[in-house]
Amino acid sequence: HAALLQQLTAMNARNVAFAAAAAVAAGVVYVMVHERRRKVKKEQQRRAEQPIPKEMLIEILQEASVEAARFAEQIGAWVAKMQGEHGLTEENAHVLRQQRFESKLDEVINGIRQRKGASEKMMDLAFRQHMEDKDVQAALGTIRRQIAPTLSGRGGASGSGSQPTAPGRVPPS
């Protein structure tokens, strides 16, 4: 009995030691994984505080101008239909056109931004940083020229503002 008892005690001690080693290893892995996650999250937050590159801002604006031209026509046709059906005044039709367009443009820009991995804050920072840049102004001008006739409802641009009200938005006419 004594030998068997001694053998069982030695096995229990090995099992306890093995379990303790496994627990320590699991704890180390847990700490390493969570430390890595914290570092990744911190880096993502740091990057979110940085503006996107000017080139990406211009790409987003160019893509938005293509989409804006497409949906501006649709919005113009819809507002003309509403104006005919509901007897909207020219002023009310213009306000409706502007509201629908700005909402749709925000939606389009958000989609493009997300596909490119840029947050709204990153784009806003880039826009502020590069607002006076001639290439950025050219991209904004393209959006204005493409949509002005449809938004004015009169077949021509009527706005005089040269700066957008917010990134990607066209100033009211």
Side-chain angles (χ1 to χ4, degrees):
H1 281 326
L4 182 60
L5 186 59
Q6 192 176 27
Q7 209 175 24
L8 286 175
T9 304
M11 286 176 58
N12 282 339
R14 273 182 268 162
N15 286 343
V16 168
F18 180 73
V24 168
V28 168
V29 168
Y30 176 84
V31 168
M32 289 173 55
V33 166
H34 287 282
E35 183 63 27
R36 176 74 179 137
R37 284 182 185 166
R38 280 191 291 271
K39 285 180 182 178
V40 167
K41 187 175 181 179
K42 189 174 182 177
E43 177 61 19
Q44 287 172 339
Q45 289 172 341
R46 186 194 65 75
R47 267 186 282 179
E49 300 292 322
Q50 300 296 317
I52 58 176
K54 179 180 90 167
E55 295 74 20
M56 184 184 288
L57 175 63
I58 291 170
E59 287 175 19
I60 291 170
L61 294 172
Q62 288 171 340
E63 286 183 42
S65 75
V66 171
E67 289 296 311
R70 185 184 55 76
F71 67 74
E73 291 178 20
Q74 295 170 350
I75 290 170
W78 179 80
V79 170
K81 180 181 172 189
M82 290 290 127
Q83 194 173 10
E85 289 178 4
H86 300 286
L88 297 176
T89 65
E90 187 61 36
E91 182 179 335
N92 288 343
H94 179 72
V95 168
L96 182 59
R97 232 182 254 109
Q98 195 72 27
Q99 289 172 343
R100 295 288 280 219
F101 179 79
E102 286 184 9
S103 174
K104 184 66 176 173
L105 185 60
D106 282 345
E107 184 180 306
V108 165
I109 288 175
N110 285 337
I112 295 167
R113 226 183 3 79
Q114 287 174 355
R115 280 196 318 270
K116 294 191 177 285
S119 70
E120 185 173 357
K121 184 173 185 170
M122 292 165 74
M123 186 169 165
D124 186 49
L125 289 169
F127 187 79
R128 289 178 189 187
Q129 180 179 357
H130 300 292
M131 191 182 319
E132 301 300 323
D133 182 87
K134 64 179 175 59
D135 296 329
V136 172
Q137 285 300 313
L140 289 169
T142 300
I143 293 175
R144 287 187 199 106
R145 282 188 304 280
Q146 286 181 334
I147 55 96
T150 303
L151 285 183
S152 70
R154 294 180 284 277
S158 61
S160 61
S162 62
Q163 297 295 327
T165 55
R169 288 215 175 123
V170 177
S173 304

